[in-house]
Amino acid sequence: QNATQTVEEEKPEPPTVQEIKQKIEKYNAKVTNCLLMKLNDDGTYTGFIKVHLKLCRPVTVPAGIRPQSIYDALKEVNLAEMTDKRTSFYLPLDAIKQLHISSTTTVSEVIQGLLKKFMVVDNPQKFALFKEMRKDGQVLFQKLPLTEYPLYLRLLAGPDTDVLSFVLKENETGEVEWDAFSIPELQNFLMILDKEEKDKIQQVHRKYERFKQRLQQTLKEARGKPG
């Protein structure tokens, strides 16, 4: 008689406060930019991570809103809620944002914090945080679960961003819950996709038009040669 036994994977025990303290001391010894980690009395710790924004598509932001000032940040003023008008634009390619977070800050909270800093009003489910690693001359990306703790990953990898860095990218299309988006957001997606389709068509037309011109020029030159 065959029997199927389900074996649960053993999860590693969380590090003790003493182990965390040792890791932080080792981490801080390698820091060269004063962005140290700090251990708190309750066993949690704080530190800095840098996130590269590699977004290929435009984001939705409030129209006609001035950049957030220090006063707004201190008073927690949400400028995005002050107008219903929206516009779309491309964030600078490979922009870098530095965040001061806690060991209890999750990937989900990092994504929401980044969107808030750039006043992006798109649904956070459109985005995902990846860890970027370099191995054997290759660049590898791995999507992080929303419940992961980025600062702990930073602590384990050390401060060298060539070993590990964080990247904000668009979420995989197949994993997006489209029912969570509003009608205006879905309509905005359709407009963006329509524009991208037209741009691609124009690129193909221009490519083959140049090819056609070179071919015609070659034929013209060949006819002009004797024999």
Side-chain angles (χ1 to χ4, degrees):
Q1 182 178 358
N2 295 328
T4 301
Q5 182 179 7
T6 302
V7 179
E8 295 184 359
E9 294 184 1
E10 293 185 2
K11 296 182 179 180
E13 291 292 329
T16 63
V17 175
Q18 184 61 30
E19 290 173 337
I20 289 293
K21 182 180 179 180
Q22 293 175 353
K23 291 180 183 296
I24 290 177
E25 290 175 350
K26 184 178 179 181
Y27 179 96
N28 288 342
K30 299 178 181 179
V31 171
T32 59
N33 52 13
C34 299
L35 301 180
L36 303 174
M37 289 198 187
K38 180 181 178 182
L39 181 64
N40 301 319
D41 295 335
D42 60 359
T44 62
Y45 51 97
T46 57
F48 296 85
I49 63 169
K50 291 182 179 180
V51 181
H52 296 248
L53 277 69
K54 296 184 178 180
L55 301 178
C56 299
R57 292 184 176 176
V59 295
T60 305
V61 297
I65 293 294
R66 58 180 170 78
Q68 190 178 40
S69 65
I70 296 178
Y71 174 82
D72 294 331
L74 293 175
K75 295 295 183 180
E76 297 186 352
V77 176
N78 190 347
L79 297 175
E81 296 179 352
M82 298 174 64
T83 178
D84 293 330
K85 296 180 180 179
R86 299 288 184 261
T87 186
S88 297
F89 82 107
Y90 287 90
L91 285 172
L93 185 62
D94 204 20
I96 300 176
K97 190 66 178 178
Q98 185 170 278
L99 299 176
H100 184 253
I101 62 174
S102 165
S103 57
T104 60
T105 304
T106 64
V107 165
S108 176
E109 292 169 331
V110 167
I111 294 175
Q112 294 179 41
L114 284 168
L115 299 183
K116 184 177 180 180
K117 285 182 179 296
F118 285 95
M119 292 191 293
V120 175
V121 296
D122 291 306
N123 194 310
Q125 292 182 2
K126 286 176 57 179
F127 308 93
L129 191 68
F130 291 76
K131 64 177 181 180
E132 178 181 334
M133 301 163 291
R134 301 178 187 275
K135 184 178 181 181
D136 300 329
Q138 293 183 328
V139 179
L140 307 175
F141 290 92
Q142 181 180 346
K143 181 180 174 182
L144 296 174
L146 295 177
T147 54
E148 183 63 89
Y149 302 107
L151 192 61
Y152 182 62
L153 298 179
R154 178 81 279 161
L155 177 63
L156 294 180
D160 189 354
T161 54
D162 287 336
V163 176
L164 170 71
S165 58
F166 297 103
V167 179
L168 183 71
K169 301 171 68 176
E170 282 87 0
N171 205 344
E172 299 295 334
T173 304
E175 299 178 9
V176 177
E177 297 180 8
W178 296 107
D179 292 341
F181 293 91
S182 65
I183 296 298
E185 285 178 319
L186 294 173
Q187 291 174 336
N188 190 47
F189 295 159
L190 290 175
M191 291 175 60
I192 293 171
L193 290 173
D194 184 60
K195 182 179 183 302
E196 289 181 351
E197 181 183 23
K198 291 178 179 178
D199 290 342
K200 287 292 184 182
I201 292 174
Q202 290 178 0
Q203 291 176 13
V204 173
H205 278 224
R206 287 194 295 267
K207 174 183 176 181
Y208 285 98
E209 183 62 30
R210 290 193 297 268
F211 180 77
K212 178 181 177 182
Q213 291 174 358
R214 288 197 297 267
L215 183 59
Q216 290 175 337
Q217 182 65 27
T218 302
L219 288 172
K220 183 178 179 180
E221 293 173 355
R223 291 193 185 101
K225 294 180 180 179

